[in-house]
Amino acid sequence: MSAVIKPKTDPILSVINIEVIYDHVILVLKGVSLEVLDGQIVALLGANGAGKTTTLKAISNLLRAERGEVTKGMILYRGERIDRSSPAELVKRGICQVMEGRHCFQHLTVEENLLTGAYTRGYIASGVREELEKVYRYFPRLKERRHAQSGYTSGGEQQMTAIGRALMARPRMILLDEPSMGLAPQLVEEIFEIVRELNRKEGVSFLLAEQNTNIALRYADYGYILENGRVVMDGEGRELAENEDVKEFYLGFSSAGRRSFRDVKSYRRRKRWL
Amino acid sequence: MPTQVAFFVEVLAGGLLAGVMYALVALGFVLIYKASGVFNFAQGSMVFFAALTFVSLTERGWNFWLALAVTLVVMVVLGVVIERTVLRPLVNQPQITLFMATIGLTFVLEGLSQLIWGSQPHGLELGIADVPIDWLSQKLNINISQFDIFAAFVAGALVAVLAVFFQKTRIGRALRAVADDHQAALAVGIPLQHIWAIVWAVAGFVALVAGLMWGVRNGVQYALTFTALKALPVLLIGGFESIPGAIIGGLIIGATEKLAEVYVGPMFGGGIESWFAYVVALLFLLVRPEGLYGEKHIDRV
């Protein structure tokens, strides 16, 4: 067992006031800033359509394939601007995205899926086999299923394949989009446990977008809440979980007992984030 | 062997072997369609361009292998150039736009090849005569061209090489990954544009092989571009995304075409060979619109 890596204080990733426009007209992010310190797990929370996925895709530069564009602000990775780098360059430099809905290569076997993750590392280099074994150590289930066609494996196995595939590139930072989507609660727990382990043992930083605020805040060191393309709140994971407004809006319970629907509505109107 | 049976075997074998030739052309379509979702209408003119380049070089006294190597290089470069100049600027455009672009490309390529090499037809010899195999005709009274057999071997070898390339190499795996999911391929750091350039280069190589085989059969001339149209029913039957499909589809088309011509043709006064393949393809469309080996969409329930 390797020693626990203490979070250092310098940011591995800084997103500074970015604005994202799709198709030249649709303004999706209206000035989002956030920071991930080296060795941290940071959660990006918010409802459907708040801009979580767009933020991640802006960082990994997958936006351009969807006609999106960062029009303002900048993104720094270890102090260097990366908003003009291609996704392949970013993977080489250590930022990998695991997309929402897994996106495994359905007709490839589990092992072939993992191997594609090492594409940027060139021709079957010495390290790739070892890397594969390491992924299998974290996800023993993938080893059992290594020769199965990915499209026929379960949702949990596909999520593991997707994370494992990203690990094959030896990333320093993983952008994990909605890992809990469509999975049974037990599996979600399992996946998050592995994320924490990867974070502690391998020193991989995570920025994860989640709708499941409850579990995300249990594992995250820090959290940002997005609403309508803006960061409306941020804080330490525990602090956010205790916050009354977060409880009210995202954790689905309130401290003041049951309220009528009408009360909630007016409450929401008053407490609009700005 | 009774003459009737011998004749049937001869027609069937001739048809199957002709089918292999169709499959050769269809392969080029499948490669590009699988990797980039583009139906490359220009595949036929690539076949023509490759054959014409090769035959023109040999007629200028070049050594066979040198001419082959140079033509191969030309086709690979052509593939990369097409990707750069035609497809890259159109990335993320609707499929129909890309399809129209390849139609434009067809005419550019046809014009270009005739501009460079002239428009007169050429004969092509690969050292294997297009004559029946002696002992088959003497012993069994079946006439099968030895060149057809040779072409079948070449096609088989080509498919084997492609299969190894796709299954065993890092680039091949990346190609299949891109075919499966563009977005995910981007996310793991596979540069789509490199992969597309490689696919076009490979399709150029396949076009060269098809061009040589068809060139020997029909001569190297403008009509070679129409072989592309013969590949269409093959693709409809075999599925646009499957290499085995292209082979099986080719065999089915080749065999039914020849058998129909010989056994059904006389009822209509002959001449049905040229359009019967399309009838078969249409019937297939009604029964199995995705083709025999069309990509199975994996749906988990």
Side-chain angles (χ1 to χ4, degrees):
Chain A
M1 287 276 160
S2 54
V4 174
I5 296 167
K6 288 245 165 68
K8 293 172 214 130
T9 39
D10 42 327
I12 185 167
L13 180 80
S14 327
V15 174
I16 303 164
N17 202 23
I18 57 165
E19 196 177 274
V20 168
I21 295 183
Y22 278 106
D23 259 338
H24 300 293
V25 281
I26 309 158
L27 181 63
V28 181
L29 296 188
K30 306 158 186 168
V32 168
S33 298
L34 56 87
E35 219 171 50
V36 180
L37 301 185
D38 202 0
Q40 258 188 336
I41 299 179
V42 173
L44 200 53
L45 307 167
N48 251 342
K52 305 186 296 291
T53 298
T54 302
T55 307
L56 294 193
K57 285 190 172 168
I59 298 167
S60 60
N61 222 335
L62 292 175
L63 271 186
R64 219 172 300 161
E66 298 179 347
R67 303 183 186 214
E69 212 184 341
V70 179
T71 49
K72 259 188 213 159
M74 56 180 169
I75 301 169
L76 303 178
Y77 173 67
R78 298 179 162 189
E80 283 171 59
R81 280 193 78 155
I82 53 164
D83 29 323
R84 293 273 171 269
S85 313
S86 73
E89 280 168 59
L90 292 175
V91 172
K92 257 184 228 164
R93 289 171 71 171
I95 308 183
C96 258
Q97 173 154 10
V98 178
M99 280 192 288
E100 181 178 1
R102 277 82 80 170
H103 281 271
C104 290
F105 302 119
Q106 308 246 305
H107 295 89
L108 273 61
T109 65
V110 169
E111 184 155 302
E112 284 174 335
N113 262 281
L114 296 178
L115 288 173
T116 55
Y119 183 86
T120 49
R121 290 171 55 186
Y123 288 91
I124 293 307
S126 49
V128 173
R129 277 285 137 194
E130 283 85 341
E131 213 66 34
L132 198 57
E133 285 312 313
K134 188 157 96 190
V135 171
Y136 286 145
R137 264 205 310 285
Y138 280 102
F139 302 102
R141 199 165 339 160
L142 292 187
K143 189 163 192 173
E144 286 165 37
R145 305 279 279 143
R146 65 208 288 182
H147 297 303
Q149 222 180 40
S150 197
Y152 291 113
T153 59
S154 74
E157 285 160 351
Q158 290 192 19
Q159 184 65 63
M160 293 176 187
T161 306
I163 297 176
R165 189 173 62 186
L167 284 176
M168 291 296 290
R170 284 202 189 143
R172 302 310 306 149
M173 156 120 241
I174 291 182
L175 309 169
L176 188 52
D177 198 353
E178 213 76 54
S180 75
M181 197 175 89
L183 299 184
Q186 235 173 333
L187 260 171
V188 174
E189 200 83 25
E190 198 181 324
I191 300 265
F192 270 88
E193 278 298 328
I194 294 172
V195 165
R196 177 185 272 167
E197 229 180 287
L198 286 169
N199 174 255
R200 295 206 175 143
K201 289 190 193 152
E202 309 291 332
V204 181
S205 310
F206 281 87
L207 177 59
L208 56 96
E210 239 329 323
Q211 285 201 48
N212 188 337
T213 310
N214 187 21
I215 188 153
L217 285 180
R218 271 203 286 127
Y219 285 88
D221 301 306
Y222 204 84
Y224 291 86
I225 296 179
L226 276 180
E227 210 170 79
N228 286 321
R230 285 195 180 88
V231 173
V232 290
M233 192 179 221
D234 65 298
E236 307 246 325
R238 215 160 302 141
E239 201 179 290
L240 281 182
E242 296 299 312
N243 183 291
E244 288 303 313
D245 294 329
V246 175
K247 277 188 187 170
E248 165 78 23
F249 291 136
Y250 296 104
L251 297 177
F253 53 82
S254 59
S255 48
R258 270 176 79 102
R259 295 168 200 255
S260 78
F261 183 58
R262 193 191 223 143
D263 290 341
V264 175
K265 258 171 75 177
S266 66
Y267 174 77
R268 278 192 189 179
R269 216 173 292 137
R270 266 188 286 117
K271 290 281 268 190
R272 265 259 93 95
W273 317 98
L274 254 181
Chain B
M1 205 184 283
T3 12
Q4 291 256 312
V5 178
F7 182 63
F8 176 80
V9 172
E10 182 180 318
V11 172
L12 181 65
L16 289 175
L17 290 166
V20 171
M21 304 272 281
Y22 296 145
L24 270 179
V25 183
L27 271 182
F29 283 98
V30 170
L31 286 173
I32 293 180
Y33 188 80
K34 227 174 129 73
S36 57
V38 177
F39 181 81
N40 175 27
F41 196 77
Q43 190 66 30
S45 51
M46 281 166 72
V47 169
F48 174 55
F49 183 77
L52 191 61
T53 304
F54 176 78
V55 84
S56 304
L57 289 178
T58 47
E59 277 175 7
R60 279 164 180 70
W62 290 43
N63 165 289
F64 175 88
W65 294 107
L66 183 65
L68 191 67
V70 169
T71 313
L72 180 59
V73 171
V74 169
M75 291 314 290
V76 168
V77 171
L78 180 74
V80 174
V81 168
I82 290 174
E83 195 279 325
R84 277 282 156 86
T85 56
V86 182
L87 296 177
R88 198 170 290 191
L90 292 178
V91 82
N92 289 334
Q93 298 298 320
Q95 289 213 347
I96 187 73
T97 311
L98 289 160
F99 176 62
M100 295 308 283
T102 67
I103 291 185
L105 185 64
T106 309
F107 294 105
V108 172
L109 268 182
E110 283 166 9
L112 191 68
S113 37
Q114 297 186 24
L115 187 73
I116 299 174
W117 303 116
S119 54
Q120 69 276 31
H122 304 257
L124 178 59
E125 280 295 330
L126 293 180
I128 289 149
D130 201 355
V131 293
I133 299 169
D134 280 341
W135 67 267
L136 263 183
S137 7
Q138 281 159 10
K139 291 238 170 89
L140 302 170
N141 197 22
I142 297 173
N143 294 313
I144 292 175
S145 161
Q146 59 176 10
F147 179 75
D148 274 341
I149 302 285
F150 170 70
F153 269 112
V154 170
L158 181 70
V159 171
V161 167
L162 288 178
V164 170
F165 173 64
F166 275 103
Q167 295 298 326
K168 301 288 173 205
T169 68
R170 164 175 165 268
I171 301 279
R173 196 161 49 228
L175 282 170
R176 285 185 297 141
V178 170
D180 250 15
D181 193 329
H182 286 190
Q183 277 248 316
L186 261 181
V188 299
I190 298 173
L192 291 188
Q193 274 130 1
H194 290 191
I195 296 297
W196 286 335
I198 290 169
V199 165
W200 277 80
V202 174
F205 166 61
V206 172
L208 170 61
V209 176
L212 293 183
M213 297 301 133
W214 278 98
V216 170
R217 171 55 42 87
N218 294 346
V220 178
Q221 51 181 328
Y222 177 70
L224 216 51
T225 55
F226 299 124
T227 52
L229 297 179
K230 271 290 188 214
L232 281 179
V234 173
L235 293 169
L236 289 176
I237 288 180
F240 280 83
E241 292 157 326
S242 160
I243 289 178
I247 307 288
I248 304 289
L251 294 178
I252 292 176
I253 288 292
T256 49
E257 203 177 68
K258 286 281 189 298
L259 290 173
E261 173 70 21
V262 172
Y263 293 102
V264 187
M267 293 178 221
F268 298 92
I272 68 170
E273 186 177 346
S274 54
W275 52 265
F276 193 74
Y278 298 93
V279 176
V280 177
L282 281 177
L283 291 178
F284 248 87
L285 269 186
L286 294 177
V287 185
R288 251 188 103 87
E290 76 274 27
L292 273 181
Y293 287 81
E295 201 99 292
K296 251 191 268 167
H297 285 282
I298 299 177
D299 284 319
R300 296 183 57 254
V301 191

